[in-house]
Amino acid sequence: MMKSMASLQPDQQPHVDRLCDLATLSPGEIAALRAAARRARLVGARREILQEVTRVREPTIIVSGWAGRVRYFKDGRRQILHLLLPGDLIDHIPCDEPLAPTTIVALTDVRLAPAPIPAHRDTGLDRAYRLANAMELGHLFRQVARLGRFDSFERIADLLIELSERLRSAGLTTGDVYHLPLTQEMLGDCLGLTSVHVNRTLQQLRREGMVEIHGSMVKLLQPDRLRSLVNYQPLRVSGQAD
Amino acid sequence: MMKSMASLQPDQQPHVDRLCDLATLSPGEIAALRAAARRARLVGARREILQEVTRVREPTIIVSGWAGRVRYFKDGRRQILHLLLPGDLIDHIPCDEPLAPTTIVALTDVRLAPAPIPAHRDTGLDRAYRLANAMELGHLFRQVARLGRFDSFERIADLLIELSERLRSAGLTTGDVYHLPLTQEMLGDCLGLTSVHVNRTLQQLRREGMVEIHGSMVKLLQPDRLRSLVNYQPLRVSGQAD
DNA sequence: CGACAAGTTGATGTTACTCAAAAGTGGTGG
DNA sequence: CCACCACTTTTGAGTAACATCAACTTGTCG
């Protein structure tokens, strides 16, 4: 236990793994991503990465840690609109105009790096970025469906699977085990539930032998049963070479 | 009452109005949009515009009618992920890869036209398209927040305001009055509620003097009160000339 | 050890769902 | 013009899911 999470992927960085999983990158692009990580700035947990008002922003990539796009309400409650994981891009979607006010907050300590600019269109990196954006949209659709039509059990099951797949893409899983650094309250803010209800529902998932949770380690015991429960459709359709 | 809705905007077409509202278009671009409308194909209500599997797709614009991006569930229920109104674009977001399986269905009769291709970057039309995409993302965020943290009353209030603003942009409102061609069941599918509960909540909105509804005509009686109730933030931040 | 955040549990209240049926609406054909 | 049909809206009664409130426990870190 001398080393923490880092030892899971000794030779690769999550954000590099993730983008390599999306497209075939050139050695130069990989080097650029690694170099960017060295210049990463650290944002502490609970701090805001992006305020509502910010206009000009630079394409940024999450090197490590989890963040969330959130919306706050009058009564102090909040909704996590969207989870941002290592390898995810922030504000890469082209838009010169001031957009909807959404804040991005670091849910854990986060390392952020400026996203390397692709040399030109249709380089591997460019394709990876565009795919990442498309997937972000897909995740948003899934989030809407979860909140709209799933009960608490299905919501959590669905999210646990989605996270497992997203983290796998970043090389952050070991089989069906991964590190989930969110409190039950954060999960609730993401899933439109109270932390109390998240707690009870997690117990139900454990009782039914679907998952094992020790501290922040999550193990999916019956991923296939979970997937069929929520009719899980992977985002990226088959037969996609690189 | 000889003419129906068309008389509201005798000289403009909704999709043209909408894109003109987003950016200053050249006369040529406006002509191209009008021409596209003449070549529009009709899709009847309840028919699918886009199937889940479809890969190659052409940027399309909604000339008239309402559509919705939907996800279906095993038990026959569905969630409308996102409403598409006249002037909205379908699949203009650049993505060569097969994406999340979502179907787009015509909620009313819909007229669809191929979206004119901008001559080059940073023409008015190009800016309008990119702004439209950014706003679509903003609407998705709002949809997530609605479903996650709003109760039925707030959900409906919030949606009614959003629709009023979106339709205004397309020239489809008269003051705070507009035509809402969705059944209560569709509203429920959009808001994660049952049609029964939508019905009761609409009555509550009427009882409290917030809205008036006759058939499919909606009138917001106290738009400011509605807005403050849900802390409504307009998508496009102020001071945006064109 | 103390303090604070996170997780857990119980009791109770409320919101929204389910099931079922009635009443209104519009379109179609006889 | 009316009868009929399908669809939508409306209403009622009972139920399930989730929230709320308030403790209490566990774990972690200084």
Side-chain angles (χ1 to χ4, degrees), chain A residues 170-188:
Chain A
L172 290 172
T173 56
T174 313
D176 289 310
V177 179
Y178 61 90
H179 177 234
L180 176 68
L182 303 182
T183 64
Q184 294 180 359
E185 178 146 28
M186 291 174 185
L187 283 175

Side-chain angles (χ1 to χ4, degrees), chain B residues 12-21 23-40 60-63 87 89 111-118 124-126 128-129:
Chain B
Q12 286 288 13
Q13 299 180 307
H15 71 293
V16 181
D17 278 0
R18 201 291 174 99
L19 292 175
C20 284
D21 183 55
T24 308
L25 305 190
S26 72
E29 289 171 329
I30 294 179
L33 285 169
R34 289 231 176 83
R38 265 175 258 122
R39 283 176 287 124
T60 300
I61 189 167
I62 298 186
V63 174
L89 300 165
R111 283 193 304 146
L112 294 175
I117 313 287
L125 195 56
D126 182 61
Y129 286 171

Side-chain angles (χ1 to χ4, degrees), chain A residues 8-9 163-165 167-178:
Chain A
L8 287 179
Q9 285 294 333
L163 291 177
S164 131
E165 308 219 331
L167 290 172
R168 185 185 330 279
S169 169
L172 290 172
T173 56
T174 313
D176 289 310
V177 179
Y178 61 90

Side-chain angles (χ1 to χ4, degrees), chain A residues 169-219:
Chain A
S169 169
L172 290 172
T173 56
T174 313
D176 289 310
V177 179
Y178 61 90
H179 177 234
L180 176 68
L182 303 182
T183 64
Q184 294 180 359
E185 178 146 28
M186 291 174 185
L187 283 175
D189 286 341
C190 184
L191 295 172
L193 301 169
T194 59
S195 62
V196 172
H197 201 66
V198 168
N199 183 288
R200 294 194 227 265
T201 309
L202 280 176
Q203 292 178 47
Q204 198 184 340
L205 274 157
R206 281 189 279 229
R207 246 182 287 120
E208 305 212 4
M210 315 279 266
V211 301
E212 229 173 58
I213 302 181
H214 297 112
S216 63
M217 293 311 277
V218 171
K219 179 172 187 182

Side-chain angles (χ1 to χ4, degrees), chain A residues 31-100:
Chain A
L33 285 169
R34 290 230 176 82
R38 264 175 258 121
R39 283 177 287 125
R41 67 189 169 102
L42 187 73
V43 178
R46 289 164 197 282
R47 305 205 81 90
E48 289 187 357
I49 293 173
L50 204 75
Q51 285 83 358
E52 295 209 353
V53 211
T54 312
R55 285 173 164 251
V56 184
R57 351 181 206 191
E58 170 182 50
T60 299
I61 189 167
I62 298 186
V63 174
S64 69
W66 291 36
R69 204 181 283 270
V70 298
R71 187 153 293 173
Y72 296 98
F73 299 87
K74 288 177 293 192
D75 52 8
R77 310 187 66 181
R78 70 173 181 181
Q79 173 68 38
I80 297 179
L81 304 171
H82 183 54
L83 287 174
L84 296 162
L85 276 44
D88 279 340
L89 300 165
I90 296 180
D91 274 320
H92 189 260
I93 288 177
C95 170
D96 315 324
E97 324 288 339
L99 192 113

Side-chain angles (χ1 to χ4, degrees), chain B residues 43-219:
Chain B
V43 178
R46 289 165 199 280
R47 305 206 81 90
E48 290 188 357
I49 293 172
L50 203 75
Q51 285 83 0
E52 295 209 353
V53 211
T54 311
R55 283 173 166 253
V56 184
R57 353 182 203 188
E58 170 182 50
T60 300
I61 189 167
I62 298 186
V63 174
S64 68
W66 291 36
R69 204 182 283 271
V70 299
R71 188 153 291 174
Y72 296 98
F73 298 89
K74 289 177 293 193
D75 52 8
R77 311 185 66 181
R78 71 172 181 181
Q79 173 67 38
I80 297 179
L81 305 171
H82 184 54
L83 287 175
L84 297 162
L85 274 45
D88 280 339
L89 300 165
I90 296 180
D91 275 320
H92 189 260
I93 288 177
C95 170
D96 315 325
E97 324 289 337
L99 192 114
T102 68
T103 305
I104 294 182
V105 63
L107 299 173
T108 68
D109 288 350
V110 166
R111 283 193 304 146
L112 294 175
I117 313 287
H120 49 271
R121 270 188 76 88
D122 263 340
T123 59
L125 195 56
D126 182 61
R127 296 189 58 226
Y129 286 171
R130 281 184 290 134
L131 237 186
N133 278 332
M135 293 185 76
E136 178 172 343
L137 205 56
H139 291 134
L140 271 173
F141 290 146
R142 183 169 288 155
Q143 171 81 334
V144 171
R146 254 197 303 257
L147 294 175
R149 289 301 185 202
F150 278 174
D151 64 22
S152 64
F153 194 86
E154 295 167 316
R155 280 187 216 181
I156 294 186
D158 191 70
L159 182 64
L160 289 180
I161 297 168
E162 177 186 313
L163 291 177
S164 133
E165 308 220 331
R166 290 173 67 180
L167 291 172
R168 185 185 328 278
S169 169
L172 291 172
T173 56
T174 312
D176 289 309
V177 178
Y178 60 91
H179 177 236
L180 175 68
L182 303 182
T183 64
Q184 294 179 0
E185 177 145 28
M186 291 174 187
L187 283 174
D189 286 342
C190 185
L191 295 171
L193 302 169
T194 59
S195 62
V196 172
H197 200 64
V198 168
N199 183 286
R200 293 195 225 266
T201 308
L202 280 175
Q203 291 179 47
Q204 198 184 339
L205 275 157
R206 280 189 279 228
R207 245 182 288 119
E208 306 213 2
M210 315 278 267
V211 301
E212 228 173 60
I213 301 180
H214 297 112
S216 63
M217 292 312 277
V218 171
K219 179 173 188 181

